[in-house]
């Protein structure tokens, strides 16, 4: 039996989407070709919204030209882009798990590369994005001069949105490694604004820099820098998880890192909520191309739009390929 799925776009400006036009809506049973309503959505009826929109996708994420205000070279593998975007887009991107697609303005659309948003200035319409240079797409982004093509906003860059947004007045543990430091900044900001006590463990990983520090130093945090792959790093991680008062743990890094933390949670019988970075391959961001599709319990799921069960997502990818 298929489980009901949570779509990250539902209730937003971009719902109903292209999938509704194709009778493949993630949430609405009537827009899946069925004759009855069997959804678990309490907001504005997706089917009615689709009818009001003349049976078309409500809005489309368009590609815009974003001015590059600054390009900071951290090292040969990492740059930080400061981009000017419309104020509404900046507001939309100031959410945990937000990302955009970037490409060189001289490149065709299939050079779009998903990039997590690290910092947002809503008032001035500015965002910052950390780009790890490791292939043709990112090399071309690095070669951009004054402008870059940008498509967004998108939000499913993490699994466990409800835990990040709903945790208040509690102890939280945030573990970040490598380029996954970047989306951690907005997550930490959200948790901090919700009056949480936060411990952050950071591993510079392959980017070889603790580049997130300048974006979180103004918060009252406990920050630990370490090599998570070392014995000392594992001891620090294990001891941090041992704190029974921790309500939420977020892991930004590889699936192997997620599984490592999940194993400690089981070993130590921790009841903390667990949220993780979405490491699935994302190509279109609209649930159309299928590159992000995973199969869990016999159900095909578009992971660029659906909030997956963290444990099943990790075990499916790491343990079962």
């Amino acid at each position: 039996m298929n489980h009901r799925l949570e779509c990250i776009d539902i209730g937003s400006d971009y719902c109903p989407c292209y999938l509704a036009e194709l009778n493949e809506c993630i949430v609405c049973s009537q827009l899946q070709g069925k004759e009855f309503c069997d959804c678990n959505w309490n907001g504005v009826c997706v089917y009615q919204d689709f009818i009001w929109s003349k049976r078309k996708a409500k809005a489309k994420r368009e590609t815009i030209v974003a001015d590059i205000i600054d390009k900071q070279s951290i090292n040969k593998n990492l740059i930080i882009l400061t981009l000017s975007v419309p104020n509404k887009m900046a507001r939309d991107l100031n959410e945990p798990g937000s990302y955009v697609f970037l490409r060189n303005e001289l490149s065709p659309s299939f050079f779009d590369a998903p990039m997590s948003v690290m910092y947002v200035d809503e008032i001035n319409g500015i965002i910052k994005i950390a780009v790890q240079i490791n292939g043709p797409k990112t090399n071309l982004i690095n070669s951009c001069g004054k402008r870059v093509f940008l498509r967004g906003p998108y939000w499913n860059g993490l699994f466990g949105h409800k835990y990040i947004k709903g945790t208040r007045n509690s102890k939280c543990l945030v573990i970040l490694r490598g380029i996954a430091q970047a989306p951690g900044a907005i997550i930490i900001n959200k948790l901090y604004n919700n009056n949480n006590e936060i411990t952050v463990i950071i591993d510079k990983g392959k980017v070889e820099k603790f580049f997130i520090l300048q974006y979180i130093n103004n918060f009252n945090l406990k920050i630990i820098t370490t090599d998570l792959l070392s014995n000392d790093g594992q001891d620090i991680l294990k001891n941090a998880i041992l704190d029974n008062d921790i309500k939420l743990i977020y892991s930004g890094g590889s699936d192997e890192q997620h599984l490592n933390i999940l194993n400690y949670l089981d070993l130590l019988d921790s009841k903390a909520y667990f949220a993780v970075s979405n490491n699935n391959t994302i190509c279109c961001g609209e649930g159309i191309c299928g590159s992000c599709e995973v199969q869990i319990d016999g159900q095909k799921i578009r992971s660029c739009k659906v909030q997956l069960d963290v444990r099943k997502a990790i075990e499916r990818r790491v343990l079962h390929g």
Side-chain angles (χ1 to χ4, degrees):
M1 181 178 179
N2 287 351
H3 298 286
R4 287 175 171 173
L5 303 177
E6 299 177 44
C7 179
I8 196 69
D9 285 340
I10 194 166
S12 74
D13 291 342
Y14 306 99
C15 175
C17 68
Y18 296 105
L19 294 177
E21 296 182 16
L22 302 171
N23 265 3
E24 294 193 28
C25 179
I26 290 167
V27 175
C28 176
S29 57
Q30 290 178 284
L31 293 177
Q32 295 167 2
K34 299 176 184 177
E35 296 182 358
F36 57 91
C37 177
D38 185 30
C39 75
N40 60 341
W41 172 239
N42 295 321
V44 175
C45 174
V46 178
Y47 182 73
Q48 187 63 60
D49 224 356
F50 185 64
I51 299 301
W52 286 338
S53 301
K54 299 181 180 180
R55 296 184 176 272
K56 295 292 183 181
K58 189 174 180 180
K60 297 176 175 62
R61 294 175 171 96
E62 297 181 354
T63 299
I64 66 170
V65 177
D67 290 331
I68 300 175
I69 299 174
D70 182 56
K71 181 166 69 174
Q72 182 183 5
S73 294
I74 306 300
N75 57 31
K76 65 179 181 179
N77 300 316
L78 179 68
I79 61 170
I80 294 178
L81 296 178
T82 304
L83 306 177
S84 175
V85 299
N87 292 83
K88 182 183 184 306
M89 180 172 285
R91 289 194 299 272
D92 288 343
L93 290 172
N94 200 13
E95 292 289 338
S98 63
Y99 67 96
V100 295
F101 286 87
L102 295 183
R103 75 174 192 268
N104 187 300
E105 63 177 330
L106 301 178
S107 304
S109 60
F110 50 78
F111 275 85
D112 278 351
M115 297 288 165
S116 294
V117 177
M118 180 170 59
Y119 168 86
V120 175
D121 179 344
E122 295 184 14
I123 296 175
N124 295 306
I126 291 172
I127 64 172
K128 290 179 180 286
I129 295 176
V131 181
Q132 184 178 10
I133 311 302
N134 60 6
K137 291 183 179 182
T138 49
N139 271 310
L140 283 170
I141 292 172
N142 187 30
S143 69
C144 288
K146 296 182 179 180
R147 303 183 301 179
V148 65
F149 278 162
L150 181 151
R151 174 163 55 90
Y154 296 90
W155 298 292
N156 216 43
L158 67 86
F159 299 134
H161 265 267
K162 59 185 178 183
Y163 303 139
I164 301 292
K165 293 185 176 183
T167 301
R168 298 175 181 274
N169 307 309
S170 303
K171 279 189 176 182
C172 300
L173 175 62
V174 176
I175 303 127
L176 306 171
R177 185 172 191 270
I179 193 62
Q181 294 174 66
I186 289 181
I187 292 167
I188 291 168
N189 183 62
K190 183 71 173 180
L191 293 174
Y192 188 80
N193 288 337
N194 283 347
N195 198 36
N196 292 295
E197 180 183 334
I198 309 167
T199 297
V200 185
I201 300 175
I202 311 174
D203 180 344
K204 60 186 176 182
K206 293 182 179 179
V207 299
E208 301 176 349
K209 287 287 183 180
F210 298 109
F211 65 89
I212 193 181
L213 292 176
Q214 62 179 309
Y215 300 100
I216 62 174
N217 271 335
N218 291 332
F219 301 136
N220 183 21
L221 311 170
K222 180 181 180 181
I223 300 175
I224 303 169
T225 56
T226 187
D227 177 1
L228 285 169
L229 301 184
S230 68
N231 290 332
D232 287 343
Q234 286 296 297
D235 287 340
I236 289 171
L237 180 59
K238 184 177 179 180
N239 289 332
I241 296 173
L242 266 172
D243 187 342
N244 291 326
D245 291 331
I246 288 181
K247 182 75 173 293
L248 168 71
I249 297 174
Y250 171 78
S251 171
S254 67
D255 288 332
E256 288 75 18
Q257 174 179 305
H258 300 341
L259 183 62
N260 181 30
I261 296 168
L262 188 59
N263 287 337
Y264 279 136
L265 290 173
D266 291 342
L267 177 67
L268 303 173
D269 196 28
S270 173
K271 304 302 181 185
Y273 295 122
F274 191 33
V276 302
S277 55
N278 178 358
N279 298 328
N280 289 284
T281 300
I282 294 178
C283 185
C284 73
E286 303 287 351
I288 301 297
C289 70
S291 62
C292 68
E293 192 172 85
V294 297
Q295 188 161 324
I296 297 177
D297 295 335
Q299 189 172 10
K300 292 182 178 180
I301 298 172
R302 298 173 176 93
S303 63
C304 70
K305 291 176 75 75
V306 175
Q307 282 288 287
L308 298 180
D309 176 90
V310 170
R311 181 179 294 273
K312 289 182 179 179
I314 296 169
E315 291 179 346
R316 181 262 174 198
R317 282 176 59 86
V318 179
L319 301 182
H320 306 302

